[in-house]
Amino acid sequence: DRARKIDARNPRLLWVSAAARLSWAHTLHQHGRDGDPLRDEAARDLEASLALDPHDADAWRASALVHHGRGLAAAARGQDPLPHYAHAVEDFAAALRERAGFADALRGRAIARLNWGNWVRQGGQEPVEHYRQAVEDLTEALRLNPADFFAWQTRGKVRTEWASQAIGSRTGEAEALFVEADRDLSRA
């Protein structure tokens, strides 16, 4: 609220206000509490920020994090998170359009795709395309920064999920994915 009182026409102050709310919402979610009201406030600040500056890659990334957080919260309640994950992927793509090579947005989009794949897998659908796209995003993030611990770790996790999904029907593919996952995780 203070950011709005200082200058509601300053997109950076709105973005910073949203980032603080988003961080607190994430902390609440990790402790089993409802962070949705804070995500809603963050979303309003980000909408205002992006209306003032639609080319702010950081604001697009933060908006994607709001939608991804909504998806995680919906999944935790047993509700359909897919519209939220789809919106997160779209906003991460917007961040990447505004700032090519934005590794944080690539990693974030990969995690949204991983969670999307895991959700459709639980529903008996094929998650491979989501996992493949997540690996592509993380591979690009690693091309940009080969020392990115988090990207190595996340790519290993995606490959592990993908391999465990393939183990019953595509054993050769599963074995290759487990080997690749092990390599990624040992680099992390």
Side-chain angles (χ1 to χ4, degrees):
D1 292 334
R2 183 166 182 215
R4 278 191 221 103
K5 289 176 186 172
I6 294 171
D7 185 357
R9 301 280 312 159
N10 184 327
R12 204 59 170 170
L13 288 176
L14 290 166
W15 178 87
V16 168
S17 172
R21 286 182 170 89
L22 186 57
S23 177
W24 184 239
H26 180 71
T27 300
L28 289 173
H29 176 77
Q30 288 180 319
H31 293 281
R33 296 184 54 207
D34 183 12
D36 282 346
L38 288 168
R39 279 188 206 91
D40 293 344
E41 291 176 22
R44 283 191 296 276
D45 284 346
L46 289 163
E47 287 171 15
S49 177
L50 287 165
L52 294 167
D53 182 3
H55 302 291
D56 186 341
D58 292 316
W60 280 113
R61 177 183 168 271
S63 180
L65 292 172
V66 166
H67 294 293
H68 187 247
R70 285 176 171 165
L72 293 172
R77 291 188 298 266
Q79 299 170 342
D80 183 6
L82 297 184
H84 303 294
Y85 293 155
H87 201 155
V89 167
E90 290 171 13
D91 284 359
F92 281 124
L96 288 161
R97 280 191 300 275
E98 297 303 329
R99 185 185 309 155
F102 190 3
D104 287 344
L106 286 165
R107 283 191 314 271
R109 186 169 68 178
I111 293 167
R113 287 175 164 164
L114 168 64
N115 288 326
W116 190 341
N118 288 344
W119 182 263
V120 300
R121 179 180 171 194
Q122 289 177 355
Q125 297 174 357
E126 184 65 45
V128 171
E129 185 61 21
H130 302 289
Y131 294 157
R132 185 190 60 71
Q133 291 173 339
V135 167
E136 287 175 3
D137 282 344
L138 292 161
T139 300
E140 177 62 12
L142 288 164
R143 186 191 66 75
L144 295 166
N145 180 6
D148 186 340
F149 162 84
F150 190 63
W152 284 110
Q153 181 183 45
T154 305
R155 194 172 74 172
K157 179 178 177 154
V158 172
R159 285 180 165 160
T160 300
E161 292 289 334
W162 188 352
S164 66
Q165 176 271 332
I167 204 157
S169 58
R170 299 182 308 273
T171 305
E173 178 185 13
E175 289 174 4
L177 285 164
F178 276 127
V179 168
E180 291 171 358
D182 185 54
R183 257 189 250 136
D184 287 348
L185 294 169
S186 68
R187 299 255 335 242

